[in-house]
Amino acid sequence: MELKQYQKDVLKEVGRFAHTYALTGNAATAYDDFMNAIGLTPGKGGVARYSDDLGGAPKVCVKVPTGGGKTFIGACAIDVLSEALPSHDDVVVWLVPRREILAQTLRNFRDPGHFLRMRLDRDFAGRVEVLDKEDGLRGRGFSAATVGDQLTLFVLSYDSF
């Protein structure tokens, strides 16, 4: 599955924010710089200020209409963020709101023939481990040695997280 132009544009902006964060080392500063660069001023004209509710970890919110490919954009964003952020360990927590979606998401990311998994395999040269809560708690597929060598994707529900 190939990205549509608007999806490429979204990923470009996610990457731009991530690069800004990598340069500043501060999520709130990166947000202010990013917003100012596109002509918006946080705290003015209805533009919200950055809310640091993750203990300094950067966060982004992507708004895409229903059917716009948010899951695919998210899967592609893993590579964009991995390349932009100053870490050598690719560990991602993918949160879903409900148990039904958790099972579906795990199934899709673990299926080598599914377009989401195929994208991750392409972006990370096939070095991808998809884990659920039980895998993480038992240490299956997750160790200090593997974290630096692969993408480790934890798929969790809000409740399990």
Side-chain angles (χ1 to χ4, degrees), residues 92-139:
V92 173
V93 176
W94 186 286
L95 288 173
V96 298
R98 293 187 311 276
R99 191 172 299 157
E100 305 81 35
I101 296 173
L102 176 66
Q104 174 187 349
T105 304
L106 277 165
R107 186 174 55 251
N108 292 344
F109 277 128
R110 286 177 171 164
D111 178 357
H114 193 277
F115 71 92
L116 292 172
R117 177 55 184 256
M118 290 169 59
R119 182 61 185 231
L120 293 178
D121 283 339
R122 185 184 101 185
D123 290 345
F124 291 90
R127 296 185 326 267
V128 178
E129 187 72 40
V130 179
L131 306 173
D132 60 18
K133 176 181 149 184
E134 293 304 316
D135 294 329
L137 291 173
R138 292 197 171 113

Side-chain angles (χ1 to χ4, degrees), residues 50-93:
Y50 187 82
S51 172
D52 183 7
D53 52 2
L54 295 176
K59 62 181 179 181
V60 296
C61 177
V62 175
K63 292 177 94 173
V64 178
T66 300
K70 288 182 284 294
T71 304
F72 187 49
I73 291 170
C76 295
I78 294 171
D79 184 49
V80 170
L81 295 170
S82 174
E83 291 193 13
L85 296 176
S87 173
H88 301 290
D89 301 329
D90 294 319
V91 179
V92 173
V93 176

